[in-house]
């Protein structure tokens, strides 16, 4: 009996020690968890506080003592990001990022296109109220319309026709700026993702061909020609923000995408056809065939023709994609966003199409995998059109 009592006491002591050890371990774990949670909460509080201070600071005036008037143009169809970037570039707000989040958080809409006279002494909310109320400035010198699929030379013609007494707004000056390497380098630094591959291109006519985005641009009295071109390039960069990731994932350069998009823009009208045409071009590039786009030849000739001759398609130019394989030096015009999307999401590549021909009267497009099929399609459309 004495032995049993001793064993019970020994087991009791062991149980007590285990409980004490378990309690100590639990307390230690709780202390560690509390310590970690405390650190996390402290970090989150610090981040929230710093974020609040940053946003609060960004909502204030850039310089409460600076009442000098600055004019900013908000073009028709401008996105929130574009408006914020433009205001930040003008020095009227501290952060385009805060502007974008503020607009989304407060569900602000109905910004009015036009010319606005603002100062750095106005807060971000005050500037937003002005932009929603409509333009109060009356110093517009007119507008320049860049249509989808037009060349830089055509844009220069539109600038030349602008009804302004400012002597800088001429076609010659516009073209001169497009050829100005120093000006291009400035733009490339401002929009590196957009223009990096354009900077590396060889044999281009204009480095900014294809980067003057289709839109209507209001010109303010006193606005420089450089500012107008910068606005056009900035609009392109704003649109392309949605596609830079896809371009990188697919292994293309921006220059390649814009080049094919400029061809797709002119070769097709319907979005579905544009995607299939993009697929044809990619199939040709993959097999080492020249793209044989009439658009490239007309750009090389710097003229427009309904029908090209053998002499035309043999013209000595790096832009002649009847002779040269690959993408060519660069874009042939200013493509629309629809054409850009078509290039990044081509259709029917698995069908192996290498040819297409369009009915000039109906717009219908027929595709072929062989030259014999293509010639039959061409003959069919010629017969339909009475040729």
């Amino acid at each position: 009996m004495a032995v049993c009592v001793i064993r019970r006491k020994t087991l009791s002591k062991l149980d007590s020690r285990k409980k004490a050890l378990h309690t100590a371990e639990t307390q230690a774990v709780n202390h560690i968890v509390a310590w970690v949670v405390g650190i996390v909460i402290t970090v989150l509080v610090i981040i929230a506080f710093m974020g609040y201070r940053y946003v609060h600071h960004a909502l204030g005036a850039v310089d409460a003592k600076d009442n000098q008037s600055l004019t900013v143009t908000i073009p028709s169809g401008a996105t929130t990001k574009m408006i914020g970037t433009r205001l930040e570039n003008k020095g009227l707000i501290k952060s385009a990022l805060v502007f974008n989040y503020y607009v989304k958080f407060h569900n602000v809409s109905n910004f009015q296109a036009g010319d606005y006279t603002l100062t750095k002494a106005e807060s971000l909310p005050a500037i937003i109220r002005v932009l929603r109320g409509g333009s109060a400035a009356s110093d517009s010198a007119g507008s320049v319309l860049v249509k989808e699929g037009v060349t830089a030379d055509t844009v220069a013609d539109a600038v030349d026709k602008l009804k302004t007494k400012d002597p800088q707004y001429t076609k010659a000056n516009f073209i001169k700026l497009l050829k100005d390497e120093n000006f291009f380098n400035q733009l490339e630094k401002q929009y590196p993702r957009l223009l990096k591959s354009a900077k590396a291109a060889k044999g281009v006519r204009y480095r900014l061909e294809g980067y003057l985005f289709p839109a209507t641009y209001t010109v303010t009295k006193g606005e420089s020609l450089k500012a107008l071109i910068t606005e056009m390039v900035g609009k392109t960069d704003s649109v392309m923000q949605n596609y830079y990731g896809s371009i990188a994932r697919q292994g293309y350069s921006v220059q390649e995408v814009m080049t094919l998009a400029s061809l797709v823009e002119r070769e097709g009208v319907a979005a579905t056809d544009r995607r299939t045409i993009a697929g044809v071009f990619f199939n040709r590039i993959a097999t080492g065939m020249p793209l044989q786009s009439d658009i490239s030849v007309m750009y090389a000739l710097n003229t427009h023709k309904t029908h090209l001759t053998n002499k035309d398609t043999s013209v000595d130019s790096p832009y002649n994609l009847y002779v040269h394989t690959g993408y060519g030096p660069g874009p042939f015009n200013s493509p629309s966003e629809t054409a850009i999307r078509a290039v990044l999401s081509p259709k029917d590549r698995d069908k192996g199409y290498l040819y297409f021909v369009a009915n000039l009267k109906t717009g219908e497009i027929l595709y072929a995998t062989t030259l014999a099929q293509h010639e039959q399609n061409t003959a069919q459309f010629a017969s339909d059109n009475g040729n």
Side-chain angles (χ1 to χ4, degrees):
M1 294 293 293
V3 173
C4 290
V5 171
I6 292 171
R7 286 179 176 174
R8 288 195 191 98
K9 288 183 178 180
T10 302
L11 292 173
S12 178
K13 289 180 180 179
L14 290 173
D15 289 342
S16 298
R17 289 175 181 176
K18 286 181 178 180
K19 289 181 179 179
L21 181 61
H22 178 71
T23 300
E25 289 177 347
T26 301
Q27 290 176 345
V29 170
N30 289 339
H31 283 307
I32 293 173
V33 171
W35 182 70
V36 172
V37 170
I39 291 177
V40 171
I41 292 175
T42 301
V43 170
L44 291 176
V45 170
I46 292 173
I47 292 174
F49 177 70
M50 293 177 65
Y52 170 78
R53 287 194 62 184
Y54 173 75
V55 172
H56 182 73
H57 173 73
L59 291 176
V62 173
D63 186 348
K65 297 180 181 180
D66 189 347
N67 289 303
Q68 180 182 357
S69 295
L70 295 173
T71 301
V72 62
T73 300
I74 306 301
S76 177
T79 63
T80 299
K81 285 185 178 181
M82 183 178 177
I83 295 173
T85 299
R86 183 163 300 197
L87 292 172
E88 184 179 14
N89 289 342
K90 281 280 188 178
L92 291 165
I93 62 174
K94 297 174 181 177
S95 170
L97 180 64
V98 172
F99 176 87
N100 292 334
Y101 280 117
Y102 184 91
V103 167
K104 290 181 180 178
F105 182 78
H106 292 275
N107 197 26
V108 177
S109 59
N110 299 322
F111 287 113
Q112 302 295 310
D115 305 317
Y116 294 86
T117 299
L118 302 166
T119 71
K120 294 183 179 181
E122 297 173 84
S123 67
L124 186 148
I127 288 175
I128 288 176
R129 286 194 295 271
V130 173
L131 298 183
R132 295 187 70 192
S135 173
S138 60
D139 55 355
S140 173
S143 60
V144 174
L145 172 61
V146 179
K147 294 182 180 181
E148 297 173 343
V150 300
T151 65
D153 282 300
T154 303
V155 179
D157 288 332
V159 168
D160 200 61
K161 295 176 182 177
L162 188 65
K163 294 181 180 179
T164 174
K165 296 180 180 179
D166 193 329
Q168 68 174 313
Y169 280 85
T170 66
K171 179 176 182 177
N173 287 340
F174 189 87
I175 296 299
K176 184 178 180 180
L177 277 176
L178 293 186
K179 293 182 176 181
D180 188 330
E181 288 292 326
N182 290 329
F183 177 48
F184 176 85
N185 289 335
Q186 293 172 13
L187 290 172
E188 193 268 336
K189 289 181 180 179
Q190 189 171 351
Y191 304 107
R193 296 180 76 184
L194 179 71
L195 298 176
K196 179 181 178 181
S197 54
K199 183 176 182 178
K202 305 295 183 182
V204 293
R205 184 178 297 170
Y206 309 121
R207 290 200 183 278
L208 292 177
E209 183 77 80
Y211 297 93
L212 310 174
F213 200 81
T216 299
Y217 300 90
T218 302
V219 179
T220 305
K221 292 178 181 177
E223 182 180 3
S224 69
L225 198 53
K226 280 188 176 181
L228 175 61
I229 295 175
T230 301
E231 182 179 346
M232 294 176 178
V233 176
K235 173 66 173 176
T236 306
D237 181 70
S238 176
V239 171
M240 293 301 291
Q241 293 294 329
N242 297 322
Y243 305 106
Y244 287 136
S246 177
I247 292 171
R249 285 192 298 272
Q250 296 188 55
Y252 304 132
S253 68
V254 174
Q255 184 82 339
E256 289 171 341
V257 170
M258 299 303 279
T259 299
L260 281 193
S262 68
L263 295 176
V264 168
E265 178 68 45
R266 296 286 302 279
E267 295 282 11
V269 177
T272 302
D273 281 329
R274 285 178 170 178
R275 291 180 61 199
T276 306
I277 289 171
V280 173
F281 285 147
F282 279 123
N283 285 346
R284 279 182 162 261
I285 289 173
T287 57
M289 297 174 64
L291 296 184
Q292 294 185 320
S293 170
D294 290 357
I295 305 304
S296 70
V297 176
M298 286 186 281
Y299 189 85
L301 295 171
N302 203 17
T303 188
H304 177 76
K305 286 187 172 185
T306 304
H307 299 288
L308 297 175
T309 65
N310 290 334
K311 181 180 179 181
D312 293 334
T313 57
S314 301
V315 63
D316 182 16
S317 168
Y319 283 100
N320 182 0
L321 299 186
Y322 267 79
V323 175
H324 301 284
T325 58
Y327 296 85
F332 302 87
N333 56 61
S334 294
S336 64
E337 187 173 1
T338 303
I340 294 168
R341 283 200 301 266
V343 170
L344 293 173
S345 58
K347 188 171 177 280
D348 295 332
R349 282 203 67 184
D350 57 338
K351 293 183 179 180
Y353 293 140
L354 293 172
Y355 304 88
F356 66 90
V357 61
N359 187 317
L360 299 180
K361 285 188 176 182
T362 66
E364 180 187 1
I365 297 178
L366 294 178
Y367 303 91
T369 58
T370 67
L371 180 58
Q373 290 176 337
H374 175 62
E375 289 175 343
Q376 289 178 1
N377 291 339
T378 304
Q380 178 184 325
F381 280 164
S383 176
D384 293 344
N385 293 330
N387 295 330

